[in-house]
Amino acid sequence: MLRASTRYLMLLLHCPLLLLLLPLSSRMQKLPTRDEELFQMQIRDKAFFHDSSVIPDGAEISSYLFRDTPKRYFFVVEEDNTPLAVTVTPCDAPLEWKLSVQELPEEASGEGSGEPEPLEQQKQQITNEEGTELFSYKGNDVEYFVSSSSPSGLYQLDLLSTEKDTHFKVYATTTPESDQPYPELPYDPRIDVTSLGRTTVTLAWKPSPTASLLKQPIQYCIVINKEHNFKSLCAVEAKLSSDDAFMMAPKPGLDFSPFDFAHFGFPSDSNAGKERGFLKSPSKFGRQTSSKPRVDLHKVCIGNKNIFTVSDLKPDTQYYFDMFAVNTNTNLSTAYVGTFARTKEEAKQKTVELKDGKVTDVFIKRKGAKFLRFAPVSSHQKVTFSVHSCLDAVQIQVRRDGKLLLSQNVEGVRQFQLRGKAKAKYLIRLKGNKKGASMLKILATTRPNKQLFPSLPEDTRIKAFDKLRTCSSVTVAWLGTQERNKFCIYKKEVDDNYNEEQKKREQNQCLGPDTRKKSEKVLCKYFHSQNIQKAVTTETIRGLQSGKSYLLDVYVIGHGGHSVKYQSKLVKTRKFC
């Protein structure tokens, strides 16, 4: 048991170098079996652990190191041949640490009088003894000291961070065989990459024996990032802390829950701190790590599965993958051997050649892109790009000899006129949206009067007049432009349960009247107005059935024969007149 007598405890509490607080009880007990009732009492006593440098038996503590400021922890093993295990976990910076032991001072004076030695003399005895070094380590790995038979004595753990202020965790136990708080790794602790794609990586690993054999509750947490592998979940949590709260120095005087050891080693009030030499440099407590940009780091816990596919990755990008087995009873974790993999390259896009004055149909997959090239054969002063997006908005970028000239989102019909240059070559990049596949028509020409797509008003909705609705007719209106164009209106009877989702599927503006049945045609007419404010036309559609729903479409047809469809309109005739 990691404990000490009350008299020895008071001795160490008055020593400014050791600042040790050990279990209050002086009851003797057999080792290595831990007195759980005593242990839980000690953990729950806040006054007992606050402002403490003790390492409790069988519980992980979290604490903080200032750069170049060493810290020392203690525990006592009272009987020889006691099993002992100590685990130190660096969180976000390498640590230097060593474990040493020295003999416990005698309870009575050497004269055998039964009278205790003066307190100052006992303190001098402790501070003058360095002890025997048992183990030392320098680095950022999770490192262990394990002994099946340790001598009795005062054990001290010294820690130092020379790189930066940092957090760390320590776990010590005198019953390592029965505790087993950390999940055990399988004989092959590597993560295997079983499948590799452009945006996905499938990982597999062998289950922890703690789950498969000991039947303890284990869940696996995967960490993905582009920088490096992590050696502990503690290091991951430090990076994931978005508000830098994890990286801030603990504040003195804060209360904490029974198992919250975040404030170990810090005084409960300023006076106590001054008495014990904590506040020799007050500025240290105000020191905080500067805010850093968020790291592209993701953690996902997937239960007890041992195969997982990571998706939504970027093509031709190297990723690092780490796996942690977490014991959900103790909340302690063990790291598998991390791996890395590079996703496959994006399939090389074929560049489509555009011909001057000819319309080209383009299909783009969801989130995909297409590249087109336009190389005019003759010198030109201007070049015109006309784009007709059939479905949702698409993005167009135009570069001339590598220089970006245009970057716009396009809905409906848009026309862009750019200044030309002799022997120039134009590269056009069309990017779809995240909702679904995109379809469009594009025309590139050096002839300024070559316009195949009809011009459209800003508002392409069809308006229905409810007061003019009868049992056999509906009256609608739509906007035109200053250019004289041909308009054709079509109707289609639909079910009463026809909804917006079905209507959306029929919104392909590039489908012309040639795709419609002749029986659906209502009429065609020419229309324009020099006064844009008066460019409105109305039409009454007759011969409809009472109480029925109809889908109305208006097509505007340009001089080159290409058509654009207005937004469809759902109307319903009156049932009773």
Side-chain angles (χ1 to χ4, degrees), residues 349-353 371-373 427:
Q349 294 278 356
K350 291 183 179 179
T351 302
V352 178
E353 294 286 343
F371 292 90
L372 303 93
R373 182 173 173 270
L427 182 66

Side-chain angles (χ1 to χ4, degrees), residues 169-454:
K169 295 177 183 289
V170 176
Y171 180 89
T173 179
T174 55
T175 55
E177 289 298 323
S178 59
D179 282 2
Q180 295 186 342
Y182 295 95
E184 186 181 347
L185 290 177
Y187 68 91
D188 182 2
R190 294 173 298 180
I191 305 171
D192 295 321
V193 177
T194 61
S195 177
L196 195 62
R198 289 191 295 271
T199 60
T200 61
V201 174
T202 300
L203 307 171
W205 58 94
K206 293 177 175 59
S208 166
T210 305
S212 58
L213 299 179
L214 301 180
K215 306 301 181 184
Q216 291 191 28
I218 297 294
Q219 75 165 344
Y220 299 100
C221 295
I222 299 173
V223 175
I224 309 106
N225 80 106
K226 299 178 185 177
E227 291 188 355
H228 55 76
N229 288 110
F230 288 89
K231 297 182 178 181
S232 70
L233 202 52
C234 176
V236 174
E237 289 163 354
K239 281 283 188 181
L240 281 175
S241 182
S242 59
D243 57 359
D244 282 337
F246 191 86
M247 291 300 300
M248 291 171 62
K251 298 295 188 295
L254 295 181
D255 199 7
F256 56 100
S257 64
F259 283 91
D260 180 2
F261 295 96
H263 309 294
F264 261 28
F266 293 87
S268 56
D269 58 71
S270 58
N271 291 332
K274 290 175 183 176
E275 288 175 8
R276 301 175 189 176
F278 273 94
L279 300 181
K280 291 181 180 179
S281 178
S283 62
K284 285 185 178 179
F285 282 95
R287 181 170 57 182
Q288 296 181 5
T289 303
S290 59
S291 180
K292 298 179 181 179
R294 294 241 14 211
V295 178
D296 190 7
L297 175 69
H298 302 278
K299 183 183 83 170
V300 56
C301 295
I302 60 170
N304 58 7
K305 297 186 295 183
N306 64 331
I307 186 169
F308 185 75
T309 298
V310 184
S311 57
D312 293 326
L313 303 177
K314 293 182 179 180
D316 193 26
T317 304
Q318 181 159 301
Y319 289 91
Y320 294 85
F321 303 95
D322 291 289
M323 174 64 58
F324 300 93
V326 182
N327 187 326
T328 56
N329 280 344
T330 64
N331 206 31
L332 301 182
S333 59
T334 305
Y336 278 64
V337 178
T339 188
F340 60 90
R342 178 174 289 274
T343 50
K344 291 184 177 179
E345 292 184 15
E346 190 75 75
K348 290 186 177 180
Q349 294 278 356
K350 291 183 179 179
T351 302
V352 178
E353 294 286 343
L354 295 180
K355 294 183 178 180
D356 197 331
K358 184 176 180 181
V359 176
T360 300
D361 294 310
V362 181
F363 175 81
I364 308 172
K365 293 180 180 179
R366 176 176 172 266
K367 295 184 179 181
K370 283 288 178 72
F371 292 90
L372 303 93
R373 182 173 173 270
F374 181 51
V377 294
S378 58
S379 60
H380 55 283
Q381 293 183 335
K382 293 181 179 180
V383 61
T384 303
F385 293 96
S386 299
V387 182
H388 181 192
S389 177
C390 306
L391 300 171
D392 295 311
V394 296
Q395 184 190 60
I396 179 173
Q397 286 185 346
V398 179
R399 295 178 183 272
R400 184 185 64 202
D401 299 331
K403 182 181 179 182
L404 182 65
L405 301 180
L406 171 70
S407 182
Q408 291 275 339
N409 287 328
V410 175
E411 270 189 291
V413 176
R414 290 287 300 276
Q415 183 172 289
F416 306 98
Q417 198 168 71
L418 306 175
R419 183 177 295 177
K421 186 179 180 181
K423 298 182 180 179
K425 293 180 176 60
Y426 300 86
L427 182 66
I428 302 98
R429 180 179 184 265
L430 300 169
K431 185 179 180 182
N433 60 54
K434 298 178 180 179
K435 296 180 182 178
S438 302
M439 296 174 60
L440 58 96
K441 295 177 180 289
I442 184 168
L443 168 75
T445 181
T446 56
R447 290 169 282 177
N449 298 326
K450 185 80 171 180
Q451 185 177 344
L452 297 182
F453 296 125

